[in-house]
Amino acid sequence: MQETIRRIYQKEFDTATGIEIGAWKEFWNCFNQATDQGFGVRSYNDKDYGFYQELRYNNAVFAAFRTHRFQNDIARQLIDADGELKSFDQFAHDVHTLVAPTHLKSWLQTEYSTAVIRAHRAADWQRFEQDKDILPNLEWIRSTSINPGKDHKLFWGTIRPINDPFWNEHYPGDRWNCKCGLEATDKPVTEKSDIPKGTPEDQPCPGLDNNPGKDACLFNETHPYIQNAYKGAKEAVRQFIDEQLSKPEIMRYKVAKTYKNGGELLIHQGVDKKKPDYKDIYTIGNLFAKEGQEVKITPPVHFKSEAYKEIYGSLIGTKYDRKCPDLQVGDKFYEYEGFVKPFKKEKIGRMIGHGAKQSPNIIINNTKGCSDRYIRRNIEGRIRDKKFDYPIEEVWIYEKGKIRLFYKKQ
């Protein structure tokens, strides 16, 4: 707080066109902690890691808008009633007395507790989507608050399908500190004629009128920090986020191996070399490079970043938009699929299915030696499955340090 006050007083940056980075880091960390508490920490190998990263990215954007509001509310205390610049001590005193209690106590505490609740609702929604074939409906559960508000009582017990537009208009958590819940169910749905329409007082609060389980926004663009922002906020945030989140990701590739036949293995500096399957991916990439190919081991980056456009630009607008496959060999992307021990042959089918959702070109680990016949049967089964809407172009087998092309679409 003191550093932010000092920088504003000494005009080290323009509060209209810039973002005070120290305050932004604190706010972003606060909302990320709320996300981790409500949604749970996710690692790279988790199936919803991409959604988790999207939550954190959107937290960064919201924290930047919040910082812009905060720093400009502070800057308004610079001038006294006579139009003169206050002394630093008087300025600091007024900020601590007039600005800090509102921003850093009442507002931030409410934002944090609501962020935890909405992050938890987002985690629930991911689970509901996965289980909707078995439990296709959702039931609005009464609030756990000791003194629940009247605004949501009329929706308690409402049951609608998971894909019903109702959940875009009303949703547990669309009020500050709302403690209503949702449960997946196979109970019959509430007839539309029986669903309360509500009054204007029953409508979602600004900034909370979205489903965070769908768009990964704990607070959306209708929030007053954004909707009623100071002049220049949107452009300031856009430039700041590009600088802080995109540039570190657009790091160049380093050459790891070169061969006389022109083959080359490059590793992006953003690749996590500690992840469990990195050694396999490195070995596979090197094997392709030995055959004269240019191979790049690619990193996970956020799909909204400039880095994604640079690395995965050819995937934008395709079925694989937002995906980050493990390797690029020439102009093709490949996804490597390993397995968690102990190995069971049934995992072959899962590797093929999961890999195909990341890229049409798949490399699977068959070190334990499933028969070719069994693997081919699984590939053909996926191709014939009309409900599986992902093409399979190539399947390579990785076995005991070697790779071979097993299937190629004719």
Side-chain angles (χ1 to χ4, degrees), residues 145-164:
S145 176
I146 298 175
N147 298 304
K150 296 180 180 180
D151 44 14
H152 276 168
K153 279 187 177 181
L154 72 168
F155 298 124
W156 292 354
T158 298
I159 301 174
R160 295 299 297 167
I162 187 173
N163 59 353
D164 192 87

Side-chain angles (χ1 to χ4, degrees), residues 254-324:
K254 286 189 176 181
V255 177
K257 293 282 185 179
T258 57
Y259 296 96
K260 292 181 179 179
N261 60 2
E264 193 172 47
L265 175 63
L266 302 98
I267 304 173
H268 195 280
Q269 294 177 16
V271 169
D272 181 6
K273 296 181 180 180
K274 295 181 180 180
K275 68 176 187 175
D277 58 0
Y278 173 74
K279 289 184 179 180
D280 287 349
I281 292 171
Y282 180 92
T283 300
I284 292 166
N286 194 37
L287 291 170
F288 277 117
K290 285 181 179 180
E291 297 298 318
Q293 300 272 16
E294 181 189 68
V295 183
K296 295 177 180 177
I297 299 180
T298 50
V301 295
H302 194 276
F303 73 91
K304 292 182 180 178
S305 69
E306 291 299 317
Y308 191 88
K309 296 176 185 176
E310 180 177 290
I311 299 168
Y312 303 105
S314 63
L315 301 182
I316 295 174
T318 73
K319 188 182 291 290
Y320 304 98
D321 198 343
R322 305 188 182 193
K323 305 297 185 183
C324 298

Side-chain angles (χ1 to χ4, degrees), residues 127-386:
R127 176 168 51 83
F128 298 154
E129 288 283 0
Q130 294 167 19
D131 298 340
K132 63 183 179 182
D133 290 342
I134 303 171
L135 301 170
N137 303 324
L138 300 178
E139 180 177 4
W140 194 307
I141 305 301
R142 65 172 294 156
S143 174
T144 59
S145 176
I146 298 175
N147 298 304
K150 296 180 180 180
D151 44 14
H152 276 168
K153 279 187 177 181
L154 72 168
F155 298 124
W156 292 354
T158 298
I159 301 174
R160 295 299 297 167
I162 187 173
N163 59 353
D164 192 87
F166 173 80
W167 302 118
N168 297 329
E169 300 168 4
H170 301 284
Y171 189 77
D174 65 10
R175 292 301 184 99
W176 295 103
N177 283 323
C178 170
K179 293 182 174 62
C180 294
L182 272 182
E183 283 186 1
T185 181
D186 58 358
K187 295 178 184 177
V189 300
T190 304
E191 295 298 328
K192 286 188 177 181
S193 58
D194 296 331
I195 298 176
K197 296 187 181 300
T199 66
E201 289 74 26
D202 300 316
Q203 301 310 305
C205 293
L208 306 181
D209 52 350
N210 66 304
N211 181 343
K214 291 184 176 182
D215 61 15
C217 290
L218 300 183
F219 308 102
N220 73 347
E221 68 278 359
T222 63
H223 192 284
Y225 291 153
I226 304 172
Q227 198 70 20
N228 304 324
Y230 283 95
K231 185 178 180 180
K234 291 186 178 180
E235 182 60 21
V237 169
R238 185 191 67 77
Q239 292 185 4
F240 179 81
I241 292 297
D242 281 348
E243 291 173 3
Q244 296 300 319
L245 300 190
S246 297
K247 285 185 178 179
E249 292 176 342
I250 307 180
M251 298 177 288
R252 301 301 172 185
Y253 290 91
K254 286 189 176 181
V255 177
K257 293 282 185 179
T258 57
Y259 296 96
K260 292 181 179 179
N261 60 2
E264 193 172 47
L265 175 63
L266 302 98
I267 304 173
H268 195 280
Q269 294 177 16
V271 169
D272 181 6
K273 296 181 180 180
K274 295 181 180 180
K275 68 176 187 175
D277 58 0
Y278 173 74
K279 289 184 179 180
D280 287 349
I281 292 171
Y282 180 92
T283 300
I284 292 166
N286 194 37
L287 291 170
F288 277 117
K290 285 181 179 180
E291 297 298 318
Q293 300 272 16
E294 181 189 68
V295 183
K296 295 177 180 177
I297 299 180
T298 50
V301 295
H302 194 276
F303 73 91
K304 292 182 180 178
S305 69
E306 291 299 317
Y308 191 88
K309 296 176 185 176
E310 180 177 290
I311 299 168
Y312 303 105
S314 63
L315 301 182
I316 295 174
T318 73
K319 188 182 291 290
Y320 304 98
D321 198 343
R322 305 188 182 193
K323 305 297 185 183
C324 298
D326 295 309
L327 293 158
Q328 185 176 6
V329 182
D331 60 355
K332 292 182 180 180
F333 285 101
Y334 288 80
E335 176 72 8
Y336 171 68
E337 289 293 322
F339 58 86
V340 178
K341 296 180 180 178
F343 177 80
K344 296 180 181 179
K345 68 178 184 178
E346 291 79 11
K347 293 185 178 183
I348 290 289
R350 295 175 200 162
M351 286 191 275
I352 294 170
H354 185 268
K357 292 179 181 179
Q358 309 300 312
S359 171
N361 307 301
I362 314 160
I363 305 166
I364 63 171
N365 187 330
N366 189 42
T367 298
K368 292 296 182 179
C370 267
S371 69
D372 285 4
R373 182 179 178 183
Y374 183 82
I375 297 172
R376 188 173 299 280
R377 190 164 67 243
N378 273 274
I379 295 172
E380 292 172 348
R382 288 289 182 183
I383 294 172
R384 288 195 302 267
D385 186 354
K386 294 181 180 180

